[in-house]
Amino acid sequence: MRQFNGRLTSLLISLTLGSSLFPAVTCFAAQGSAPVVAHSSDPWWKHAVFYEIYPRSFADSNGDGIGDLNGITAHLDYLHDLGVDAIWLTPCYPSPQIDFGYDISDYCNIDPVYGTLADFDKLIAEAKKRNIRIVMDFVINHTSDKHPWFVASRSSKTDPKRDWYVWRDGKEANKPPNNWQSIFGHSAWDLDSRTGQYYYHFFYPQQPDLNWRNPEVRKAMFDVTRFWMDRGVAGFRLDAVGCLFEDQNLQDNPIKPGTNAFGDPNMESKYNDRLEEVHDVLRELRQVIDSYAGDRVLIGETSTSNVKELSRMYGAKLDEIQLPMNFFFAYLNKLSAADFRRLISEWDKNPAQGWPLYFFSNHDQVRHYVRYGDKTNNDAIAKVTATLFLTLRGTPLMYYGEELGMENNDPKRVEDVYDPIGKIGWPKEKGRDGERTPMQWTAADFAGFSTIKPWLTAPASFASHNVTVEEAQPDSILNFYKKLIQLRRTEPLRSGSYEPINTSDQNVVAYLRKGDAGTVMVAINMSGQEQLFKPDLPGKKFSAHESRVLLRSGQPVKPDDNDDAVRLAPFSVHICSLP
Ligand code: NOJ
Ligand code: CA
C-alpha cells in the first residue's frame, strides 16, 4: 500500500460496473456534448474515468464537520460536468473508525455518520440518472475487532467462529508465535487474555485478519458482494488483496538491514504476503461478480514490486481482477521523462495483456500536486501529469480534488494527528491526514465543505484552488481536466494503440495514439526549460501546419515557426491530430 513519499521507503509491498442498470455500449460525454458510442464489445470500465471519493472529506450535508453520502449526492452534477463515469467510494460501512472505515463492524449497512441505507440507495439512483456508477470499497483481509464475528471468535477457543480468524499459541510465555510485524507498526500478533492465545493482524490490532482458509468465511464474504450488487453497485475495489493468506507453518520473515519509521527492523513480508492461494479466492470472487449482468468490475489494491507479478493479478485466463492498480506512478516522486516512459511501456505490454489502469494519488499517498511540484510551477505541472494519465491507453483513476490542484496539509504537531500511524510513527511518519483534507468547493469558510470547522483543515491554498474560483478561470486546472476528459472520449485517444516516439528524449515524453479514426500525438515537456521538440514519426515527416492542435498548455516565449517541430513551454503539453 503506502509508499510514504520517502518518509517510509517501502512499507507494504502488496496490500494491499455496467450493471444491467446501464446500457453497455454508451459512453457518456460531459454535459453539453454528444454521447460517444463505444465498441459494443468493450466493457464500460475500459473507457470510464474513475474518481475516488473519501466520503468523510467530500461534502458535509448536515453540518457536523464530517462528509456524508447526501453530501456526495448533492454534488453529482459537478462530477458529471467534470466527466466522471464511476465513483470509487472508500468505506462508509459501520465502523469504530480506528482506520477511518477500513475497520468494518457490519458489512451490510451504512455508518450513521455517513447516512443510511436509504441515503445510499438515493446516491445510486441519482448517480444513475447522470450515468455515473458506484464502486464500493471491499475490505476483505480483516474486520473490525468490534465485528460480531470477531467478538464471538475471541469469546472462547470452542466458539463456532473461532476459526474465522487466525489464532495461535505463543512460542513461549509472552512470546508471539513468530516475528511478523504489522505494516502499521510492531508485532502483528496480539495476546488475548480471555483465551491466552494470540490473534493475527496485518494492520492495526483493531483489524484482526480473517481466515480465508475457512469456507464459511468465503461464503459470508461473497454474500456481502451479492448484497451490494443487488443494490446496484457496479463493482468493488478490493482492499489489501495481497495479504489474505499466511504461511501455515508461521515461518519467520527474513530481516533486512535498518529500521522503519516505527522503530521496527525492516522485514521482507515473505511468509505473510502474496501467497499463491490469493489467486483461488480472486477467481472465485470473479465468478460471483460475473454471475451478475452488466460487466461488474473488480479493481484491486495490488501493489507489487514488479510488472510480472502485478500482471498475474489479472489471472492466467484474465479471470481474476480486471483492473489491478499499478502503483508505479504513485511511487514515483520525480518528474522524469525516462522513468515515466519506461513504466508506461512496461505496463502497456504487460505479460497478461490485461487492460491498464493508471493513477497518481489516493488516500494513502501524498498528493501528486506536492510530489511533482517545484513550488513555482505546480499548476503547470498538474496539467502535465493530468495529460499523461488521461491520454494513455487504459483506465484513469482520479483522486478527489486533484482536478483543482489540491495539495497536502500535513499535521504540524503530533497532537493534531488523527491517523494512528501518524501517532505511532511521529515524526518520521506523519500519517495520512494530509492527503485527506476537505474538498475545496469555494473560497468561503471551511472551503465550502461544511458550515462548522471540519474534522481536518484544508490547506491555505484553498482560497485560490477551489471549484468556484476555477470554474470561472478558463485556464484553471479544473477546466483543463474537463477539456482533457472530453478529448479522451474521442477516437483514437479512447481506444487506439500506444506507440512511444522520440524514446531517448530526456525531457519530453511523447507518444502516438493510433486507431481507425486516425493518429493523435501527445508531447509532454516534463522539464523546466522550453523545448524545441522534433517528432520522429515512423515512416513519415512531421509537419506542424498539417497537424491540428487539439489541446495545449503553456505559452512558449520563442515563436513556433519550425514546421518540423513543436515548441513546448516549460512544463507544458501539446496534443494534436496528425494527417
Ligand atoms: C489499504 C487502504 O487503502 C488503507 O487506507 C487502509 O489503512 C489499509 N488498506 C487497511 O485496510
Ligand atoms: Ca455530515
Side-chain angles (χ1 to χ4, degrees), residues 60-68 113:
D60 172 21
S61 73
N62 62 349
D64 63 359
I66 296 175
D68 43 58
V113 82

Side-chain angles (χ1 to χ4, degrees), residues 117-134:
L117 270 176
D119 295 334
F120 180 82
D121 292 341
K122 185 165 166 230
L123 171 61
I124 289 258
E126 288 297 318
K128 186 187 161 207
K129 284 186 198 158
R130 292 159 180 85
N131 304 312
I132 296 175
R133 295 170 166 90
I134 307 287

Side-chain angles (χ1 to χ4, degrees), residues 1 15-16 99 102 142 184 203 207 237 239 301 363-364 432 436:
M1 51 162 271
L15 281 189
T16 58
D99 193 14
Y102 283 95
H142 48 271
F184 286 162
F203 297 95
Q207 294 170 300
R237 174 266 189 188
D239 186 68
E301 193 198 15
H363 63 284
D364 298 326
R432 298 162 292 181
R436 299 172 175 179

